[in-house]
Amino acid sequence: MDSVRRTVAVVGWQAHSFRRLWRGSITTSLLNPIFFLVSIGVLLGSLIDKSNPNLGGLSYLQFVAPALLATTAMQTAASVTTFPVRAGLKWLRTYHAAVSTPIRVGELVAGILAWCGVRVIVAVTIFAVVAAIGGAFVSPLAVLAPFAALLCGLAFGSVLAAITSSVEGDEWLAAIFRFGLVPLFLFSGTFFPISQLPLLLEALAWATPLWHGVALCRSLATDDIDPVLTAVHITYLVALTAVGTALTVRAQREKLRR
């Protein structure tokens, strides 16, 4: 019980700090996905629909919107578990101050990832409401899509926190976005089926957490659910979250001893 209370205290600390910074996160967490939804899903989508693309009977808006739900989760999680984690460990050393109290490293990491989950679920829920109003979802199961996006966000958040906690140079943070998140955003089935990729890149896409998140959100939003594939997506994302969390705890224990 004490461990839970200390974890909640970390979440409260993160939320209190966020009160001064939330305006700067609006663009990344909310406006950018909505702009993509309108510009690509609606405006460009109207042109794509006229060419009769093979999207399983979906309009381009219905194809893209669930994927943007997953990418919103990825981007929001990245905004919580990269630069802020680096600041806590190195630049501001607030994590050192936190573990000088009764808070343990595992509780600190759990609180950080719980706060990441809060940020993700708020961002994807707002986006889902906007998308639903725009007619982007065709299944009542779309109400579960934000929770699928949450799994995707936590998988990314735990892994990115582990990387951020492990690397030495700050230049790695820019590299994560430039060579990691941006290619995933473009080539994990967000804007076109990965079956259109060369076989090697298609196989690589299958191994990425974003593809699993996109496929899971899209299956719920379009009522095209394969029980086996759904189980694979959920198992992959949960397992990656568990591994990433364990690696984050290990890396931060090592860093916070210094």
Side-chain angles (χ1 to χ4, degrees), residues 30 45 52 55 60 69 72 77 82 85 95-96 105 128 148 153 178 189 250 257-258:
L30 183 59
N52 297 315
L55 298 176
Y60 194 66
L69 202 62
T72 299
T82 51
V85 170
Y95 291 180
H96 293 76
V105 174
R178 185 171 301 170
R250 178 181 174 184
R257 287 199 197 106
R258 301 177 184 176

Side-chain angles (χ1 to χ4, degrees), residues 125-212:
T125 299
I126 294 172
F127 176 79
V129 169
V130 173
I133 293 172
F137 301 143
V138 298
S139 168
L141 291 177
V143 297
L144 299 176
F147 298 100
L150 174 62
L151 282 180
C152 181
L154 289 175
F156 271 100
S158 61
V159 170
L160 290 174
I163 295 172
T164 304
S165 301
S166 303
V167 298
E168 295 296 335
D170 296 339
E171 67 277 2
W172 279 95
L173 296 178
I176 287 170
F177 285 86
R178 185 171 301 170
F179 302 112
L181 302 188
V182 171
L184 286 179
F185 180 64
L186 296 175
F187 299 109
S188 293
T190 305
F191 301 111
F192 55 88
I194 63 169
S195 58
Q196 296 182 7
L197 293 171
L199 287 178
L200 177 59
L201 292 181
E202 183 179 357
L204 289 175
W206 288 338
T208 65
L210 185 57
W211 178 77
H212 287 275

Side-chain angles (χ1 to χ4, degrees), residues 41-162:
V42 178
L43 301 180
L44 180 61
S46 62
L47 299 177
I48 293 175
D49 289 338
K50 293 178 182 178
S51 66
N52 297 315
N54 183 19
L55 298 176
L58 301 174
S59 70
Y60 194 66
L61 173 63
Q62 293 164 349
F63 179 82
V64 166
L68 289 176
L69 202 62
T71 61
T72 299
M74 176 187 75
Q75 292 166 342
T76 303
S79 72
V80 177
T81 56
T82 51
F83 291 97
V85 170
R86 193 64 168 178
L89 284 173
K90 181 179 179 182
W91 301 333
L92 303 179
R93 297 178 68 87
T94 50
Y95 291 180
H96 293 76
V99 297
S100 68
T101 71
I103 294 172
R104 300 165 186 161
V105 174
E107 295 159 353
L108 174 64
V109 171
I112 292 167
L113 294 179
W115 173 242
C116 173
V118 171
R119 289 280 308 279
V120 168
I121 196 64
V122 170
V124 298
T125 299
I126 294 172
F127 176 79
V129 169
V130 173
I133 293 172
F137 301 143
V138 298
S139 168
L141 291 177
V143 297
L144 299 176
F147 298 100
L150 174 62
L151 282 180
C152 181
L154 289 175
F156 271 100
S158 61
V159 170
L160 290 174

